[in-house]
Amino acid sequence: MNLKKFITSRGVILATIVSVLYGCLIFTIYFTGYQAMPKHVDELTVTVVNRNKNTRTLADQIEKGLPFKHIKKVSNLRTAKKQLNNKKTAMIIEIPWNFKSRISSNSKTNLNFYIDEATPYSQVSALKTVSQKIGYTVNQQVIIEKGKAMLLKEPMTDLEKNSSNKTGSTSKSITGQKTTDCPSSRSSAAKTRGAS
């Protein structure tokens, strides 16, 4: 009998009503405060900002490697940032204006990624993972390009040194100085003397 009186008392009924209303209120606030997240991450919009005209192939490679269906290309970073702030794009990938020249000069260079952190955590996490993969892939390509440039540079400097040495010895023999600097001219001179 005491249990029945307790359950039907004003305090218990009021506490039950308040807890149900509070739960409904929180549920409504939570779901109306967030935008609907795409069912698949590949439906997000990504903007590629290529500020360097010499890196069109890199921009195309990045675009082909992205796992997104909606990719925009823009040349102005301000426009892309406005789109990011207005939630028209989820991430910006910027190729800086000095990207190619910094690679050529063997300096450190980076791609810049801008992600809208105000979106749901799972979306932000997916975008950060994609940006890390892109950064790693581009970094590997940059290392390969720098290696190629270094390998091509060393033989070219050796060829330039050798060609300057050969032209120096040729010019000495032409101007009438001793031909002992060039072994091929000595052997040809000896053959000529022997024939006469």
Side-chain angles (χ1 to χ4, degrees):
M1 201 66 177
N2 289 337
L3 183 62
K4 188 177 180 182
K5 281 184 178 180
F6 176 74
I7 291 175
T8 57
S9 69
R10 284 184 173 173
V12 172
I13 293 172
L14 186 62
T16 305
I17 292 171
V18 168
S19 63
V20 169
L21 288 176
Y22 182 75
C24 291
L25 182 68
I26 294 297
F27 182 79
T28 305
I29 291 171
Y30 179 77
F31 279 105
T32 58
Y34 291 99
Q35 293 181 348
M37 188 176 139
K39 293 178 183 175
H40 304 285
V41 176
D42 63 345
E43 294 178 4
L44 295 172
T45 303
V46 174
T47 303
V48 178
V49 179
N50 187 5
R51 296 176 62 193
N52 189 335
K53 294 178 182 177
N54 297 329
T55 57
R56 286 185 183 158
T57 55
L58 176 65
D60 292 338
Q61 288 175 351
I62 289 173
E63 184 180 353
K64 289 176 185 175
L66 288 173
F68 302 105
K69 293 179 183 175
H70 308 289
I71 301 170
K72 296 179 184 177
K73 283 188 174 180
V74 179
S75 60
N76 190 349
L77 185 61
R78 282 188 183 175
T79 305
K81 284 185 176 181
K82 284 180 185 177
Q83 291 175 355
L84 185 70
N85 289 335
N86 294 333
K87 306 223 182 279
K88 293 181 180 178
T89 188
M91 179 171 70
I92 300 171
I93 303 169
E94 178 201 6
I95 302 171
W97 63 271
N98 60 352
F99 189 81
K100 188 82 171 181
S101 63
R102 291 185 65 85
I103 291 173
S104 301
S105 66
N106 205 12
S107 300
K108 185 178 179 181
T109 186
N110 293 321
L111 292 176
N112 299 321
F113 297 93
Y114 301 91
I115 297 173
D116 185 9
E117 298 279 339
T119 56
Y121 176 75
S122 57
Q123 182 176 328
V124 172
S125 176
L127 290 172
K128 284 183 179 180
T129 302
V130 169
S131 66
Q132 288 172 349
K133 286 181 182 178
I134 292 170
Y136 178 76
T137 304
V138 170
N139 192 24
Q140 294 300 316
Q141 290 176 346
V142 166
I143 289 171
I144 290 169
E145 289 299 318
K146 284 182 179 180
K148 284 180 185 177
M150 289 172 57
L151 288 174
L152 289 175
K153 190 175 183 179
E154 287 180 20
M156 291 302 281
T157 54
D158 290 343
L159 284 173
E160 288 173 356
K161 287 178 184 177
N162 289 339
S163 67
S164 66
N165 288 341
K166 286 182 182 178
T167 52
S169 62
T170 307
S171 65
K172 286 180 183 177
S173 63
I174 291 173
T175 55
Q177 293 182 357
K178 294 182 183 177
T179 57
T180 55
D181 294 332
C182 185
S184 61
S185 63
R186 196 174 4 171
S187 62
S188 63
K191 286 180 187 176
T192 309
R193 284 186 195 150
S196 55

